[in-house]
Amino acid sequence: TTLRHDIELPNNIPKLLIEKHANYLISYGTNKDEYNYSQTEHMRMSGMYWGLTALDLMGKLEQTNKEEVLEFIRQCQNDNGGISASIQHDPHLLYTLSAVQILCIYDALDVINVDKVISYVKERQQPDGSFVGDQWGEVDVRFSFCAVATLSLLNCLDAIDVEKAVQFVLKCMNFDGGFGSKPGSESHAGLIYCCVGLLSITGHLHLIDADRLGWWLCERQLPSGGLNGRPEKLPDVCYSWWVLSALTILGRLHWIDKKGLMDYILICQDIETGGFSDRPGDMVDPFHTLFGLTALSLLDKNFSLKPINPTYCMPEYIIDRLGLKPSRLD
Ligand SMILES: COc1ccc(S(=O)(=O)N2Cc3cc(-c4ccc(C=O)o4)ccc3N(Cc3cncn3C)C[C@H]2Cc2ccc(O)cc2)cc1
Ligand SMILES: [Zn+2]
């Protein structure tokens, strides 16, 4: 038998500890001298998006300091329109998307210069349709997703060449039905989410082999119930989100053993501190806390969580308010 990387699950599964997770996220953002907080300055804008989206799903957004967040975002917009992870850092498509997602949740897009964000994103597109993340020029299909998601949230997709952006995504498709970060790169669940999400926004899902990709995604589930991101890897809560959101968009969520995955995710809660970790017993962080909650929201409506939109990883009611209709296969 092939040696499977996996973990053993204990038999008592805790229920979803919403109050603990809300307190963990609120205090993560408030005591700024705490060690972990200082280590994440280089990705602060994304960290804020992860924490605020999780709090909104739990119905706790009114416990956040909206004015402080809006002032921070305003100070992170650079002269070229791009938005950085922290004040005085370099702008990047990753943090421009996180900032726009936060402003959509707070319904406060007026605190930034939207026209300059649009031109910053447009300037990142390359002749082959791909996108670079910032002025250092690294190409990665993750940045294509950031560009398309940002512009669609700003209702301005026509600022870029959508057909060429789609062509580049198709060059990243592999024979296993999955997608890698660049043409020829190995399939990976996180990149599959980015490519499926981009094709969902632009209305090109018919270009995907949904059965072949759906099968590859279901193969991520291990005996522990958890999902990994590539064959032979260990399970990890954040892959629950990358795999489940892609399967939901492809209309094949029912191909997964939902109960097994739910138990795996619930075991990854820290019942003392609140928060979710990648695997049981590891350190929790806001990243895995968001993706544990969004996966549970997709798996079962009976957790007291708001519905999550699988394409944008934002609360469904925000996508509805923006009048956006990302496509899905039924
Ligand atoms: C702890 O080591 C890492 C490694 C990579 C990163 S990352 O920025 O390239 N990134 C996001 C990420 C964030 C965290 C984290 C810790 C504390 C906070 C506070 O907000 O956020 C932790 C991990 C992490 N990773 C790494 C990872 C997650 N599961 C397995 N791994 C190896 C993902 C990584 C890539 C990424 C994914 C989505 C996204 O929107 C942005 C970046 C960050 C920390
Ligand atoms: Zn992870």
Side-chain angles (χ1 to χ4, degrees), residues 43-222:
M43 59 176 162
R44 172 80 65 256
M45 193 63 77
S46 291
M48 287 166 64
Y49 154 69
W50 298 323
L52 290 169
T53 304
L55 285 165
D56 193 8
L57 289 181
M58 295 188 285
K60 307 283 186 185
L61 194 64
E62 81 284 343
Q63 288 184 28
T64 63
N65 187 334
K66 178 174 177 175
E67 291 320 312
E68 184 185 25
V69 172
L70 298 187
E71 179 53 24
F72 175 79
I73 295 175
R74 205 186 52 71
Q75 293 185 40
C76 287
Q77 183 166 30
N78 287 238
D79 294 345
N80 63 12
I83 298 175
S84 49
S86 282
I87 299 166
Q88 301 299 328
H89 285 223
D90 291 336
H92 194 288
L93 282 183
L94 283 169
Y95 310 116
T96 302
L97 172 58
S98 294
V100 167
Q101 288 173 304
I102 294 169
L103 294 177
C104 287
I105 290 172
Y106 275 138
D107 195 11
L109 280 168
D110 53 325
V111 305
I112 55 170
N113 182 323
V114 167
D115 290 338
K116 291 181 83 172
V117 169
I118 292 166
S119 53
Y120 176 80
V121 175
K122 181 182 167 63
E123 285 153 17
R124 305 272 85 63
Q125 189 164 32
Q126 304 302 297
D128 68 354
S130 66
F131 284 82
V132 292
D134 59 13
Q135 82 260 40
W136 306 115
E138 181 200 0
V139 167
D140 187 316
V141 82
R142 283 192 302 155
F143 307 146
S144 301
F145 173 75
C146 291
V148 164
T150 301
L151 292 178
S152 62
L153 288 168
L154 299 176
N155 193 25
C156 193
L157 249 189
D158 51 12
I160 56 166
D161 188 329
V162 171
E163 284 312 312
K164 281 203 156 257
V166 169
Q167 275 166 28
F168 180 75
V169 166
L170 294 181
K171 280 191 221 147
C172 300
M173 194 188 288
N174 294 317
F175 58 88
D176 58 14
F179 296 85
S181 57
K182 283 185 274 300
S185 300
E186 173 193 24
S187 294
H188 177 290
L191 283 311
I192 289 168
Y193 164 78
C194 291
C195 293
V196 171
L198 184 149
L199 297 174
S200 163
I201 292 169
T202 62
H204 290 82
L205 286 174
H206 54 280
L207 301 176
I208 290 180
D209 183 337
D211 279 328
R212 187 154 20 157
L213 177 52
W215 188 81
W216 188 92
L217 289 168
C218 293
E219 280 292 289
R220 299 299 112 250
Q221 190 156 34
L222 298 166

Side-chain angles (χ1 to χ4, degrees), residues 236-239 278 287-288:
D236 176 338
V237 150
C238 70
Y239 289 115
D278 56 356
F287 180 88
H288 290 94

